[in-house]
Amino acid sequence: MSAKILTVDDSASIRLTTKVTLTNAGYEVTEAVNGAEGLDKAKAGQFDLIVTDLNMPVMDGLTMIEELRKLPAHMGVPIIFLTTESDADLKARAKAAGATGWLTKPFDPENLVKIVRKVLGR
């Protein structure tokens, strides 16, 4: 059974690239266009990993993580930020909110798969 990954990004091209990359690596991918939709989809399903952008309309990735970590079912789900941001303070805030990892855009698809495999242990 393949791991289920929720990808959250307001950029259609990044969602497509991420979905194709992770699907080709054998993962089952569900997409959301912002943090609010990501939160709703996470609550409605069970995911092994969440890959999210930071800056998005409606709800940003940091707020989504803070809301997810309040829910017992999502306290232990690994969350990787995939963002253009590289500010050390933002990374620290993300880690404090419960982020597992951080990957800066533009990203190397092979590196994304490598990180996902490492985080999932498969």
Side-chain angles (χ1 to χ4, degrees):
M1 187 165 112
S2 64
K4 294 181 179 180
I5 300 174
L6 174 63
T7 63
V8 186
D9 202 303
D10 58 324
S11 166
S13 63
I14 294 294
R15 284 195 317 273
L16 178 61
T17 301
T18 304
K19 182 173 185 172
V20 168
T21 298
L22 295 175
T23 300
N24 287 343
Y27 300 107
E28 184 179 327
V29 177
T30 299
E31 299 175 88
V33 299
N34 59 54
E37 186 177 307
L39 184 60
D40 289 343
K41 288 189 175 183
K43 287 178 179 176
Q46 280 197 314
F47 296 95
D48 300 296
L49 172 70
I50 297 172
V51 178
T52 184
D53 190 9
L54 180 64
N55 299 312
M56 297 177 283
V58 184
M59 180 186 287
D60 63 52
L62 193 57
T63 303
M64 182 186 77
I65 286 179
E66 291 169 344
E67 293 301 315
L68 281 172
R69 293 303 189 214
K70 294 177 185 173
L71 305 171
H74 300 283
M75 293 178 110
V77 176
I79 300 173
I80 298 172
F81 268 110
L82 181 60
T83 178
T84 58
E85 299 287 346
S86 59
D87 181 76
D89 289 338
L90 281 173
K91 287 181 182 179
R93 285 182 56 208
K95 186 174 181 178
T100 308
W102 189 283
L103 183 61
T104 305
K105 297 177 192 171
F107 66 97
D108 175 5
E110 289 182 21
N111 194 32
L112 175 62
V113 171
K114 182 179 171 183
I115 291 170
V116 166
R117 285 185 176 144
K118 182 177 179 180
V119 168
L120 292 174
R122 44 186 149 160

